[in-house]
Amino acid sequence: MLTLPIPAFAAMVLAFLGLRAWAKGETPVPLLVLIGALALQSAVVAGNQHYGLPGFAAVQPVLALCLPPLAWVALVATTRRPLAAADLWHVTIPAFGAFAWALAPWWVLDLWIVLMFLAYGGAILWSLCGVADLAHARLGAGERPLRLWRWIGVALVVSGLVDVVIPVLLALGHSDWVGWLVTGLSSTALLVMGVLGLSPSLEAVPEPEAAPVASQGDAALVAAMEQLMAERRLWLDPDLTLARMARRMGVPAKALSGAINRVKGENVSRVVNGWRIAEACRLMREGASVTEAMLGAGFNTKSNFNREFLRMMGMAPKDWLRSRS
């Protein structure tokens, strides 16, 4: 009877989601490339592990080595800066894997795969330590982009650890467990990375880089930001980003984020959402529905609106509206 192994199912799901995201034209190209590589890797795993297709055993490890650098490049491109020629050095990772497969002992390639998954996964997690705001992420998404990228880093680390366990199981004589481990954990990790990478919260809003300016006091910088927000009502823009605010003020995004954190004790996303909640309350007092107030205040997701409203007002929007009635 014809069966569909888990890696093949994962490949089909990722391919469908990736094509749909490409057709919509909203997902950044680096993320689309990552999704395509994840789908292709899942298909190769299925062809090698379950169907024994010739040549797939050689392709599988080299293609796997493309995934960690692609995840890192996607993180950089969607949260920090445009990609540059200097980023091309990441192609040396799979290139060395191809060299090791052709000319080196088998354990060199296996060790290289483990090290790269752990190194890139760890680098993603380390780069996000202590980070409160992603400069080019929509502020309406709250802390969700940070959490999603952290989970992608964790998925890379888990994949690396799986590759550590496999030779141990073989040495202990549990070769029958290896197939289940590759099928279950590895395919799940690939699918998780793909689904997380397609989240709308990771869609970047490109901004020109702000020119460096002389340093200002935190209190003065925050006061200038609040004056700008009051005059321009920037929070009404659902695509508002930290980088865009900083550019309007002529200061580096990192300086503005740090000043807000130190003065307000909160990250910039929560500060901006405070303005939005106040605007939503005003709209509901004037007769707007909850949905109308949410959209009119600059929120673009209902879950984030409900969460921020509950945090600030101590009750759900509908309950607050009923209490006002």
Side-chain angles (χ1 to χ4, degrees), residues 91-313:
V91 302
T92 61
I93 304 303
F96 180 81
F99 166 80
W101 177 84
L103 301 175
W106 64 268
W107 58 267
V108 173
L109 178 57
D110 287 352
L111 180 60
W112 186 244
I113 292 174
V114 171
L115 290 177
M116 291 304 100
F117 270 84
L118 295 180
Y120 275 94
I124 289 176
L125 295 175
W126 178 261
S127 69
L128 299 177
C129 285
V131 174
D133 306 292
L134 296 176
H136 295 283
R138 289 182 175 88
L139 297 178
E143 299 175 359
R144 184 174 174 82
L146 270 174
R147 290 197 299 267
L148 293 177
W149 275 115
R150 285 173 179 144
W151 276 112
I152 290 175
V154 169
L156 286 173
V157 172
V158 168
S159 294
L161 294 177
V162 168
D163 288 331
V164 172
V165 173
I166 288 175
V168 174
L169 292 176
L170 292 174
L172 296 176
H174 297 296
S175 57
D176 53 324
W177 294 6
V178 172
W180 288 103
L181 192 65
V182 173
T183 297
L185 291 180
S186 295
S187 298
T188 300
L190 294 176
L191 187 58
V192 165
M193 279 192 285
V195 172
L196 293 179
L198 286 169
S199 171
S201 297
L202 297 188
E203 295 171 3
V205 181
E207 301 284 347
E209 294 185 3
V213 297
S215 175
Q216 304 179 40
D218 290 341
L221 196 54
V222 172
M225 181 272 296
E226 291 179 333
Q227 181 179 355
L228 177 66
M229 294 289 286
E231 292 176 353
R232 302 293 183 179
R233 296 167 63 86
L234 297 181
W235 70 87
L236 296 180
D237 180 5
D239 291 333
L240 180 65
T241 66
L242 170 62
R244 183 172 295 175
M245 290 174 56
R247 180 169 60 86
R248 294 289 293 269
M249 296 177 62
V251 301
K254 186 176 181 179
L256 178 59
S257 175
I260 292 173
N261 289 333
R262 288 187 290 271
V263 173
K264 295 289 189 178
E266 294 182 323
N267 61 33
V268 65
S269 177
R270 288 194 169 190
V271 171
V272 171
N273 282 339
W275 291 79
R276 289 172 170 163
I277 293 300
E279 176 70 9
C281 291
R282 184 189 69 80
L283 292 172
M284 286 190 287
R285 282 195 297 268
E286 295 180 355
S289 67
V290 172
T291 301
E292 290 171 340
M294 177 195 77
L295 297 175
F299 285 96
N300 53 14
T301 62
K302 191 172 184 180
S303 60
N304 191 45
F305 173 63
N306 290 336
R307 181 177 62 251
E308 291 298 295
F309 198 99
L310 179 63
R311 179 181 66 84
M312 293 192 62
M313 308 303 295

